[in-house]
Amino acid sequence: MLYHFFEYVDKYYNVPGAGLFQYITFRAAFAIILSLIISLVFGGKIITKLKRMQIGETVRELGLDGQKAKEGTPTMGGIIIIMAILIPCLLLAKLDNVYIWLMIFTTIWLGLIGGADDYIKVFLKNKDGLSGKTKIFGQVILGLIVGITMLISNDVVIRMPLQDAKAGGYEIIKEYEIPLPRLNDISRMTEMAYVKTTLTNVPFLKDNNFDYKYLASFFGDNTDLWLSIIFTLVVIFIVTAVSDAANLTDGIDGLAAGTSAVIAATLGVFAYVSGNTIIADYLNVFYIPNSAELVVFSACFLGACIGFLWHNSFPARVFMGDTGSLTIGGIIAVLAILLRKELLIPILCGIFVAENLSVMLQVSYFKYTKKKYGEGRRIFKMSPLHHHFQKDGMHEAKIVTRFWIIGIILAIVSVITLKIR
């Protein structure tokens, strides 16, 4: 809103300073500050309200040190994260941008699903919350909307040389020319095009791209139909997997929020790179028109996670609940997909992946050994992975700090992949 207001003011009244809102970097910095203020100031009031409403966490007995001390700690704190994302985003982002509206929808939609789950657990005293099928259905709906929008919207495009676009058979939305650097004092122009495509960036490969249509080609006829189905299924899988993994990671104070803050900062870097034509060309990644606006959303997300940590760090005054964990996982997944960096998720979200895998391995091995030997055996002392270290006697604050450090290392590796191929 403020962007459009100051754009009007700068255009017709030439007010000094109004032009600052045209700059992505200024609005991103402003967004972080505003998100932090909302999280810190209003977060405390929300926690007090949650306590007054007796929206406390019911802790299952798992035999972990300090576990019972968490009994009654307010949950549904994800409301703080959602509010600290949406308010600055609505104020500072361009509201005519398809990427921004997809992110706003993702935040609200998964916030509602997670909120419904927490409501059933807290107010209806049903510890199971929403059924797994209902959650998955909600995640599938989100994946469908994101996938279909990317396939049909003329605003979701990438730039490539016109010759390559025609050779690849891509749908061309716009053709134009850009100047090349001067060579022997002769200015040359090259033809470029905005195209609708399912191309994505691939880390470590020289060509640095992969097109999902290669998968559809195995089905022979009706390639376009199969491409739409395959691409949408991939989006649904990523959204479901990452949001569930974030949910599993939210098991000890500050772990999910801190890890997500690191990921948010990294995705903000990717958004800036992909939305800047010069840097994108230099690093040989896709220039995605209008995606730079996701820098502002990433800044809101980063500020919200850091601000929430103020209340959620050990010993936590509030838990985010499914209201927060499902939402942050979905935001990360959709951001990565829109920036065509979804194949980096196993590296960038390595903490989430490890937590998810630990549960899958534990359950699978337990069932296998029970069937083979008559009694179930375990790989870890407890899953998800952070509980294994707790059972091993490590304090949860140390576990969280070390997971953060690993998350930072993985984020650095993810950024380095922009050059390593």
Side-chain angles (χ1 to χ4, degrees), residues 209-339:
N209 64 69
F210 171 78
D211 196 336
Y212 288 100
K213 73 177 183 179
Y214 298 142
L215 299 178
S217 64
F218 291 107
F219 294 93
D221 297 334
N222 299 320
T223 301
D224 289 342
L225 174 62
W226 281 109
L227 173 60
S228 300
I229 294 172
I230 291 171
F231 181 75
T232 305
L233 287 175
V234 169
V235 172
I236 290 171
F237 172 76
I238 293 170
V239 168
T240 304
V242 178
S243 57
D244 285 344
N247 193 23
L248 288 172
T249 303
D250 182 37
I252 52 180
D253 300 348
L255 179 56
T259 304
S260 298
V262 174
I263 296 170
T266 309
L267 289 172
V269 171
F270 288 150
Y272 187 79
V273 167
S274 298
N276 186 296
T277 179
I278 297 173
I279 300 176
D281 283 345
Y282 175 72
L283 294 174
N284 190 30
V285 297
F286 297 129
Y287 169 60
I288 307 173
N290 302 316
S291 67
E293 210 58 30
L294 290 175
V295 176
V296 178
F297 185 89
S298 298
C300 298
F301 184 30
L302 173 60
C305 289
I306 294 174
F308 184 75
L309 269 177
W310 182 271
H311 309 291
N312 184 240
S313 58
F314 181 85
R317 295 175 57 212
V318 66
F319 299 138
M320 68 173 67
D322 282 13
T323 308
S325 59
L326 283 177
T327 303
I328 62 177
I331 287 172
I332 289 167
V334 176
L335 262 176
I337 291 166
L338 295 179
L339 293 170

Side-chain angles (χ1 to χ4, degrees), residues 150-151 158 160 164-171 195-203 205 207-219 223-224 226-232 234 286 340 342-343:
M150 291 187 70
L151 288 169
I158 67 170
M160 66 170 58
D164 293 347
K166 290 180 176 178
Y170 299 117
E171 182 180 351
V195 301
K196 282 203 292 187
T197 175
T198 52
L199 277 167
T200 190
N201 285 130
V202 183
L205 295 185
D207 291 337
N208 197 31
N209 64 69
F210 171 78
D211 196 336
Y212 288 100
K213 73 177 183 179
Y214 298 142
L215 299 178
S217 64
F218 291 107
F219 294 93
T223 301
D224 289 342
W226 281 109
L227 173 60
S228 300
I229 294 172
I230 291 171
F231 181 75
T232 305
V234 169
F286 297 129
R340 318 233 175 198
E342 69 272 17
L343 299 183

